[in-house]
Amino acid sequence: MAPKLFLTGVTGYIGGDFLYLVSEKHPDWELTALVRNSDKGAKVTVAFPKVKLVYGDLSSTDLIEE
């Protein structure tokens, strides 16, 4: 079973680089990313279509707990 990774900050400079690195090195991993809105999420989806997106922010504890 492939590892599951929940990421924050993927629309930023460092987080985006980390997402790129992880997706290149481990294409079999299940990646989920927390993004603030659909505008930012659309950019992530174009570059990384396999990444599942969750819309919210770090104060959205109910989403993060899922």
Side-chain angles (χ1 to χ4, degrees):
M1 182 172 187
K4 295 180 181 183
L5 201 60
F6 184 79
L7 304 169
T8 62
V10 299
T11 60
Y13 182 74
I14 295 172
D17 281 352
F18 183 74
L19 176 58
Y20 175 80
L21 176 71
V22 170
S23 64
E24 288 290 313
K25 296 281 186 182
H26 305 285
D28 58 320
W29 286 14
E30 185 178 325
L31 303 176
T32 303
L34 178 69
V35 293
R36 289 189 187 137
N37 57 51
S38 58
D39 291 337
K40 292 181 182 280
K43 294 175 185 177
V44 174
T45 300
V46 168
F48 305 98
K50 291 175 56 178
V51 175
K52 179 182 172 187
L53 299 180
V54 175
Y55 293 96
D57 56 34
L58 290 176
S59 64
S60 304
T61 55
D62 56 325
L63 294 174
I64 296 171
E65 288 174 359
E66 283 183 35

